[in-house]
Amino acid sequence: VSGTPPMYEIVLSAATYTLTGAAGEDNNVTGDLDTKPWNWLYITGAGEAVTRINANHLDRVFDHWGPEWLILTDLTIQNGQVATGMNGGGGIRSTNGADLWLIRTTVDSNTVNGLNGSQDIGGGIHNTASTLNLESSTISNNRAVAGGGLSLGNTNLWMDQTVVSGNVAAGSSGG
């Protein structure tokens, strides 16, 4: 299709992929996995129980900047942790008109630390000015001040056969 951005596909085998390095930079040098605009990215694993991306409590797992698509299939996003004031999304932060698709994907045990109910949000996923599609997925055991599992702002949300449970919001807005 004319004008369609390139699509990149990454296929992960059954393993735990642990992130390393310092948090807080946005050029894919250390810490989280930064996706940049103008490319569609499709990451698929061998199954939620056997393919895991583990942030090791160093940073969030994915920082997805739109306006293009990030599609995560058959894997687990776990142990992301964001410090106070880092604009949420312990597991995944998706912004700027990005489309985020999770298909048979688990977002589990991610945390946003802090006390600010307007910034320390979305322990599992923080999604703003974007579209979030959850299909046959699980958002569980995540923590934040607000929106323990999900924090949605100006978001189009579509969910099918998805479980959101066991998430904790220390301040408000529930799981």
Side-chain angles (χ1 to χ4, degrees), residues 63-67 87 93-99 126-130:
D63 200 358
H64 177 49
W65 293 86
N87 296 316
R93 178 173 65 174
S94 183
T95 61
N96 298 335
D99 277 7
H126 176 53
N127 198 79
T128 58
S130 303

Side-chain angles (χ1 to χ4, degrees), residues 10-100:
I10 299 171
V11 178
L12 300 174
S13 60
T16 297
Y17 300 87
T18 302
L19 304 183
T20 60
E25 66 79 42
D26 291 324
N27 292 308
N28 261 334
V29 176
T30 65
D32 61 9
L33 301 172
D34 301 305
T35 64
K36 297 296 182 177
W38 314 116
N39 296 307
W40 291 358
L41 181 58
Y42 179 67
I43 301 173
T44 186
E48 294 168 89
V50 296
T51 305
R52 298 173 181 277
I53 302 176
N54 181 351
N56 203 27
H57 306 285
L58 298 173
D59 201 345
R60 67 177 51 89
V61 181
F62 282 99
D63 200 358
H64 177 49
W65 293 86
E68 307 308 341
W69 292 18
L70 173 61
I71 303 166
L72 304 174
T73 304
D74 296 314
L75 49 90
T76 293
I77 306 300
Q78 66 185 27
N79 298 326
Q81 183 168 305
V82 178
T84 187
M86 296 296 292
N87 296 316
I92 303 168
R93 178 173 65 174
S94 183
T95 61
N96 298 335
D99 277 7
L100 175 61

Side-chain angles (χ1 to χ4, degrees), residues 115-138:
L115 301 172
N116 186 329
S118 65
Q119 285 189 344
D120 302 329
I121 55 181
I125 300 171
H126 176 53
N127 198 79
T128 58
S130 303
T131 298
L132 176 59
N133 301 280
L134 303 171
E135 181 179 336
S136 302
S137 293
T138 302

